[in-house]
Amino acid sequence: MSYAYLFKYIIIGDTGVGKSCLLLQFTDKRFQPVHDLTIGVEFGARMITIQNKQIKLQIWDTAGQEAFRSITRSYYRGAAGALLVYDITRRETFNHLTTWLEDARQHSNSSMVIMLIGNKCDLESRREVRREEGEAFAREHGLIFMETSAKTAANVEEAFINTAQEIFDKIQEGVFDINNEANGIKIGPQLSPSNQKSSSGNQALGTGGGCC
Amino acid sequence: MVMAGTPEKVIDYLLETRMNNNNFEEQFNKESLFEDFLLTFPIFITWKHMTNSLLRHYKIDEMNFRQMEDYIVDNKKRVARFTLLWFKISADAFLNCKTITIFLDELIDLMEKDNLKHDNHFETELTSLKNIKETKENYNLNLEMRGTIVYKADNSNSVRRMSNINEALFAKSPDETDKIFKLTAIKEFDEIICRLYCADHTYTTLKTTMDTRAEIIRNQAAEKLNLDNSVDYTLVELKSDNERYIFNETELNIATTLSLNGRIFISHKDHLDALTTLPEQEGTTIGSIFKLESFSSQEIAYFLTNQTWKLFFNIHPYEFIYLVFGRHNFNDITANLDLCRRNFNELQYWAITEVLLEKSLSRRVQILKKLIKIAGYCKEYKNLNSFFAIIIGLSNVAISRLTQTWEKLHNKVKRIFTQYESLIDSSRNYRRYRLLLSKFDPPLVPFVPLLIKDMTILHEGNKTFVDQGLVNFEKMHLLAQTLRMIQDCKSGSFQIQSPATLSMKKMNFPNVLQEYFDQIKVIDNQKRLMQLSYCLEHRKL
């Protein structure tokens, strides 16, 4: 299907906060790793519409790689949005947000949109992190905030779509350099003239990122 | 195809439909349902439960005494066939399981009686079962001779095996017996020495078996440190970047799961914030790769490949299950997998550390080039785990931002690196890597972190049980595909050609390299790595 833009997301956060569940809830697909190489199925992708424009979201789940933090770092480079997830029933996962955030900021391009997500809000009785604490953290660090439940699907759509909206707005404002794919945005067939090519001349080493 | 069922029902079904006659093994190789079941059963049924279930099936005549003799005999044979295949798939885990010892004794005992009762109908099955029993006894004997192997995680180096009388076991090349017995793999009764620190950086040293729970370690440490036992203490990992991870009381083999420069602290629950890292957690301030000057990249890759292969080979597929589903649910260790994961991270940070600690630009370029060459040889040796460890290390922002260093690198080497880097491209679920993998013949060492990721996402994305306790076999089938792949990677004998450059006087080189890699210290704190990087090439404002 053709699209106007492709946005790449990354989902980060501690082990067991429900990263995969959020993704699955949103894409409504059970995950199957590609063993049939000839197909090369893309997982974790979905189309959404923002201001009448088709946008393809391609979401990279880092579940299972928490112990290999440096592998995760290599994904930030090409991401336009990040969902930083904690579990409202486990205080510890909230305490680790600072490290995750620092890591994300250091390794991504400076315009990456980060959405803070307090997941498992269906488990109100076991709540350890108050909603206000999440809000305060988000305010302090300039993030968008939302509490979700991957189980009941509460706010899951909104989390992904609001992030996309923010990225979209930034494109309109000219904050994102959409010609540089290292920023996690690709112009789709709907918008791009057939001969338009992204300038990637000095990207040979992939030294992109807003770190320098 | 079986989609879901209770464990009991699936065992019934397998016994009834898959154990028909003497070519059951042929049938087993043709389709994967039974293999999927045996590769994943610990997820949904205990060993004890499974043996009970099989014995119940075996004792069919006690319940249905009016059944035809043929029917009874046939059913009993099916249980024996099931057991043979179980051993084939579970291998050393089967041999290591105490429940199985009791089960085999009982089964053989019953069968011997039945053999008399039913005109020696069970001769073939009895012989096979006795063979397994003999293998198991032989295994126990070998374990006894092997003894307990002690590892240490008590200083700034990584988890290392202590030199002891078992040296001979590790020195010889593994023969056929060791391939099944895996005597060099870590067993649950092996011991580990580790330090537990207090907030004031005093410490105590404990030696515990690998399967000791965090709760017991905490209590022993509290006692040795004379801590007030009315206070609620907790064990926590303090990482070099100051992050802390609290250990659940039920967690097993915590010492092997630490991050590279992580340390275990014991602390009052409310005072965790006050903990500060030890100076040694910084890792190192001087590079060491110059010590390897006399070795070619190929020789180093040759060593790394043999080392990684041994670590990979020793991992039982069930360890992946325990890790992904949570060790405490199985009361079983993942120490072999832990060491392999650790080795990956170590190699990765070694590459980063060595580049960043070299102040001279020209020498830094040389190091970079050497590391890329080592990675290339690892790939040639089909050691994809070390290959990716080095390449991902060198793609770390702290390294990739060093524009001057990369500029000085020969264009050809740069192109090779870009090509290597493209292999870890995650798009379409690591399609490039998976294609590369499909071109290699086993044996090989795959990219282990991806196996864990595949299984984690399969686990998180699919329910283990669907309504009313039925096992979701679609999920088991998907998990088994990865587990089978792991087994496939290990098939055949792993022999790589020793580098041709190797002169006689360097014959001792694996030992020298072993010593070097045993003692390497790395920096695993990303902040510190970035600081070093900025010192080498200033930040552009």
Side-chain angles (χ1 to χ4, degrees):
Chain A
M1 206 155 93
S2 94
Y3 51 83
Y5 292 106
L6 175 115
F7 296 168
K8 289 192 182 176
Y9 282 16
I10 175 171
I11 310 188
I12 50 173
D14 276 8
T15 308
V17 294
K19 297 188 286 289
S20 301
C21 302
L22 280 171
L23 174 60
L24 290 161
Q25 182 64 257
F26 180 66
T27 55
D28 193 31
K29 263 188 214 140
R30 273 180 307 171
F31 174 83
Q32 305 199 355
V34 188
H35 287 283
D36 186 351
L37 296 160
T38 51
I39 305 171
V41 178
E42 208 165 340
F43 67 95
R46 198 184 124 178
M47 285 288 192
I48 58 166
T49 311
I50 289 179
Q51 292 176 18
N52 294 323
K53 293 235 161 40
Q54 291 280 344
I55 292 172
K56 183 171 179 176
L57 299 185
Q58 202 178 70
I59 305 140
W60 189 249
D61 183 2
T62 59
Q65 296 196 326
E66 296 86 352
F68 306 100
R69 194 64 68 91
S70 55
I71 300 183
T72 305
R73 285 186 195 116
S74 62
Y75 303 136
Y76 287 123
R77 217 155 54 189
L83 303 188
L84 171 55
V85 190
Y86 67 94
D87 176 351
I88 65 149
T89 69
R90 277 162 60 214
R91 158 83 42 193
E92 218 199 341
T93 63
F94 182 75
N95 293 342
H96 294 150
L97 289 177
T98 324
T99 327
W100 279 112
L101 190 61
E102 272 176 18
D103 221 41
R105 287 258 158 89
Q106 188 143 49
H107 297 90
S108 63
N109 68 78
S110 52
S111 23
M112 183 169 83
V113 174
I114 305 176
M115 154 90 64
L116 179 66
I117 292 182
N119 193 29
K120 306 200 187 172
C121 65
D122 53 297
L123 300 173
E124 192 57 48
S125 60
R126 282 165 48 198
R127 181 188 280 275
E128 284 183 8
V129 184
R130 282 180 298 119
R131 195 194 153 80
E132 295 74 41
E133 292 176 89
E135 281 169 353
F137 186 92
R139 214 176 310 119
E140 191 185 330
H141 295 94
L143 315 173
I144 331 171
F145 174 69
M146 206 161 247
E147 284 197 347
T148 59
S149 163
K151 201 173 166 194
T152 65
N155 275 341
V156 174
E157 289 274 322
E158 290 81 349
F160 285 92
I161 291 172
N162 291 2
T163 312
Q165 178 71 54
E166 179 103 359
I167 297 169
F168 189 83
D169 293 346
K170 281 195 175 184
I171 294 176
Q172 305 294 314
E173 290 160 20
V175 179
F176 265 115
D177 173 11
I178 47 172
N179 289 318
N180 183 353
E181 270 189 44
N183 285 335
I185 296 170
K186 206 168 128 183
I187 304 176
Q190 270 184 11
L191 281 185
S192 91
S194 55
N195 58 355
Q196 187 183 335
K197 282 212 175 98
S198 61
S199 59
S200 57
N202 49 12
Q203 282 295 309
L205 282 170
T207 49
C211 55
C212 309
Chain B
M1 185 181 167
V2 176
M3 310 294 271
T6 62
E8 290 283 338
K9 277 275 176 260
V10 177
I11 295 174
D12 288 355
Y13 177 75
L14 290 170
L15 283 167
E16 276 160 30
T17 61
R18 298 300 194 274
M19 307 286 114
N20 283 335
N21 43 41
N22 285 326
N23 66 7
F24 65 98
E25 270 187 276
E26 226 171 86
Q27 201 185 347
F28 179 82
N29 293 331
K30 255 191 278 170
E31 51 130 40
S32 69
L33 173 68
F34 193 24
E35 197 184 9
D36 293 349
F37 175 87
L38 290 173
L39 281 170
T40 57
F41 82 88
I43 296 169
F44 50 85
I45 185 173
T46 62
W47 291 73
K48 181 85 195 143
H49 193 148
M50 187 119 122
T51 56
N52 283 346
S53 186
L54 288 175
L55 285 171
R56 188 173 46 74
H57 268 276
Y58 187 86
K59 294 172 189 166
I60 186 167
D61 43 347
E62 286 178 13
M63 269 100 74
N64 304 311
F65 47 86
R66 270 184 234 144
Q67 293 280 9
M68 302 278 289
E69 185 182 4
D70 282 0
Y71 179 79
I72 289 170
V73 168
D74 187 43
N75 264 293
K76 289 176 186 285
K77 285 187 176 184
R78 286 165 191 263
V79 174
R81 289 175 197 143
F82 189 110
T83 311
L84 298 184
L85 292 173
W86 189 4
F87 168 51
K88 186 178 162 180
I89 298 301
S90 299
D92 52 316
F94 186 94
L95 295 173
N96 204 39
C97 177
K98 295 200 171 62
T99 308
I100 294 291
T101 315
I102 306 164
F103 166 70
L104 278 181
D105 282 344
E106 186 170 355
L107 188 62
I108 291 172
D109 192 42
L110 289 167
M111 206 166 224
E112 272 178 336
K113 284 176 193 147
D114 280 329
N115 201 30
L116 295 175
K117 200 161 130 193
H118 299 285
D119 306 328
N120 297 329
H121 265 314
F122 297 109
E123 287 297 325
T124 324
E125 285 73 19
L126 265 176
T127 314
S128 308
L129 286 176
K130 282 180 181 169
N131 274 338
I132 301 182
K133 192 183 164 182
E134 200 181 313
T135 310
K136 199 163 176 0
E137 282 163 359
N138 191 7
Y139 172 77
N140 288 336
L141 212 65
N142 269 279
L143 272 193
E144 230 169 84
M145 289 193 308
R146 166 193 183 273
T148 302
I149 294 172
V150 184
Y151 290 77
K152 60 176 174 180
D154 65 339
N155 51 22
S156 46
N157 288 335
S158 190
V159 181
R160 305 287 179 220
R161 182 168 48 83
M162 275 176 73
S163 310
N164 57 20
I165 47 161
N166 292 300
E167 217 52 49
L169 184 71
F170 291 87
K172 74 176 172 81
S173 51
D175 52 23
E176 283 308 309
T177 330
D178 192 56
K179 277 195 184 148
I180 307 166
F181 291 179
K182 291 204 197 132
L183 294 174
T184 56
I186 300 174
K187 311 279 177 189
E188 74 286 354
F189 57 80
D190 284 333
E191 292 172 327
I192 186 154
I193 299 171
C194 67
R195 284 184 185 172
L196 290 105
Y197 292 88
C198 298
D200 64 357
H201 292 184
T202 55
Y203 64 86
T204 182
T205 306
L206 282 185
K207 185 163 91 171
T208 56
T209 56
M210 289 284 176
D211 62 355
T212 308
R213 284 171 181 268
E215 184 187 13
I216 295 170
I217 294 179
R218 181 200 59 200
N219 294 346
Q220 285 183 5
E223 195 178 325
K224 275 185 89 174
L225 290 160
N226 285 325
L227 300 178
D228 179 359
N229 57 12
S230 64
V231 181
D232 224 356
Y233 286 101
T234 185
L235 289 188
V236 59
E237 172 185 358
L238 185 63
K239 296 187 177 189
S240 60
D241 62 0
N242 221 6
E243 201 170 73
R244 41 219 76 198
Y245 270 88
I246 298 167
F247 288 109
N248 279 332
E249 296 198 331
T250 51
E251 205 56 88
L252 273 78
N253 60 302
I254 56 173
T256 52
T257 61
L258 294 179
S259 64
L260 290 179
N261 290 330
R263 295 289 179 270
I264 308 174
F265 280 73
I266 180 165
S267 158
H268 186 286
K269 262 192 187 133
D270 300 331
H271 298 161
L272 293 179
D273 289 342
L275 300 178
T276 55
T277 52
L278 310 164
E280 65 174 44
Q281 289 186 259
E282 289 265 290
T284 180
T285 51
I286 34 171
S288 62
I289 200 171
F290 65 88
K291 291 182 188 160
L292 299 182
E293 257 165 15
S294 59
F295 294 100
S296 71
S297 309
Q298 194 180 11
E299 287 162 353
I300 298 168
Y302 175 79
F303 167 80
L304 290 175
T305 301
N306 278 314
Q307 187 190 41
T308 313
W309 167 255
K310 281 180 203 156
L311 289 170
F312 174 67
F313 185 81
N314 278 339
I315 306 169
H316 196 285
Y318 294 157
E319 289 188 51
F320 285 90
I321 292 179
Y322 304 153
L323 180 76
V324 169
F325 286 73
R327 274 181 292 272
H328 56 280
N329 293 319
F330 305 90
N331 211 3
D332 233 314
I333 62 165
T334 58
N336 295 296
L337 178 53
D338 295 342
L339 254 50
C340 187
R341 292 159 73 201
R342 209 183 156 87
N343 173 265
F344 179 90
N345 281 332
E346 207 162 50
L347 207 53
Q348 192 173 228
Y349 284 102
W350 170 69
I352 306 172
T353 306
E354 292 302 332
V355 173
L356 292 179
L357 287 179
E358 180 52 66
K359 291 201 176 68
S360 140
L361 177 60
S362 60
R363 278 202 298 268
R364 196 158 62 239
V365 174
Q366 286 312 309
I367 293 175
L368 194 56
K369 187 176 150 202
K370 184 154 189 164
L371 288 166
I372 297 170
K373 279 179 80 181
I374 295 173
Y377 280 114
C378 284
K379 178 166 160 275
E380 220 167 88
Y381 287 136
K382 296 191 282 189
N383 170 11
L384 300 169
N385 203 47
S386 304
F387 167 72
F388 280 122
I390 296 173
I391 298 303
I392 293 175
L394 297 181
S395 344
N396 188 295
V397 179
I399 306 285
S400 66
R401 64 171 290 284
L402 299 174
T403 327
Q404 292 166 28
T405 314
W406 288 100
E407 263 169 17
K408 281 257 168 16
L409 199 65
H410 201 285
N411 274 336
K412 195 179 139 212
V413 186
K414 253 189 270 186
R415 267 201 307 277
I416 292 174
F417 180 75
T418 312
Q419 189 206 335
Y420 288 166
E421 215 185 14
S422 74
L423 290 170
I424 46 166
D425 175 17
S426 61
S427 56
R428 296 169 101 188
N429 198 11
Y430 286 98
R431 185 161 192 269
R432 289 205 184 164
Y433 161 71
R434 290 183 208 264
L435 275 171
L436 173 78
L437 192 65
S438 67
K439 282 186 204 136
F440 285 137
D441 290 322
L444 59 90
V445 188
F447 177 30
V448 174
L450 190 61
L451 300 170
I452 300 169
K453 178 183 163 62
D454 278 353
M455 288 191 58
T456 304
I457 295 181
L458 275 178
H459 170 48
E460 291 189 2
N462 297 281
K463 285 181 179 159
T464 301
F465 295 99
V466 286
D467 30 64
Q468 288 139 29
L470 304 185
V471 179
N472 177 3
F473 271 92
E474 273 184 292
K475 173 173 179 172
M476 300 308 138
H477 174 68
L478 290 169
L479 289 169
Q481 280 185 324
T482 303
L483 295 170
R484 212 178 344 262
M485 204 274 272
I486 295 168
Q487 293 300 70
D488 285 347
C489 288
K490 293 183 190 173
S491 60
S493 95
F494 193 82
Q495 270 166 346
I496 52 173
Q497 193 76 44
S498 166
T501 53
L502 209 58
S503 60
M504 280 306 279
K505 74 173 183 223
K506 277 210 249 164
M507 277 313 266
N508 191 32
F509 89 107
N511 293 338
V512 180
L513 286 172
Q514 182 76 54
E515 205 173 306
Y516 171 80
F517 280 101
D518 272 356
Q519 287 169 5
I520 52 167
K521 291 185 171 68
V522 302
I523 304 169
D524 70 344
N525 179 354
Q526 186 66 23
K527 271 188 225 158
R528 173 102 204 285
L529 294 171
M530 289 309 287
Q531 280 165 7
L532 287 170
S533 178
Y534 290 137
C535 284
L536 292 177
E537 292 187 21
H538 292 296
R539 201 171 191 157
K540 284 181 207 144
L541 295 170

